[in-house]
């Protein structure tokens, strides 16, 4: 999607900043943080985004495998 305008921070007219994520669809709800402090902290406004993390089920690891051998 389109990036929001974030530069210059006092009157943003350019969409120069990005948040990248892979695979596609990982990043959503991209927005600019526009507090008065953000406007003086940098010449770019910070971006915020929602990140959709999908955990994959992992194979169960028995404790003995973690220590290199069977437990005594």
């Amino acid at each position: 999607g389109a990036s929001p305008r974030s530069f210059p921070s006092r009157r943003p007219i350019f969409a120069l900043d990005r948040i990248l994520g892979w695979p596609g669809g990982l990043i959503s709800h991209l927005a600019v943080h526009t507090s008065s402090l953000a406007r003086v902290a940098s010449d770019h406004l910070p971006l915020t985004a929602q990140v959709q993390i999908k955990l994959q089920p992992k194979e169960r690891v028995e404790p003995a495998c973690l220590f290199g051998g069977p437990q005594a």
Side-chain angles (χ1 to χ4, degrees), residues 2 4 8 15-16 21 29 36 54 61 68-69:
L16 300 181
H29 301 7
S36 58
K54 295 179 182 171
V61 177

Side-chain angles (χ1 to χ4, degrees), residues 24-71:
L26 181 71
I27 306 294
S28 64
H29 301 7
L30 192 58
V32 173
H33 179 77
T34 57
S35 71
S36 58
L37 182 57
R39 290 186 187 281
V40 296
S42 175
D43 59 344
H44 291 256
L45 290 172
L47 298 181
T48 61
Q50 185 173 30
V51 179
Q52 302 291 329
I53 298 175
K54 295 179 182 171
L55 300 176
Q56 298 294 322
K58 295 285 183 181
E59 203 174 293
R60 179 169 161 72
V61 177
E62 295 299 324
C65 297
L66 297 174
F67 299 103
Q71 298 274 332

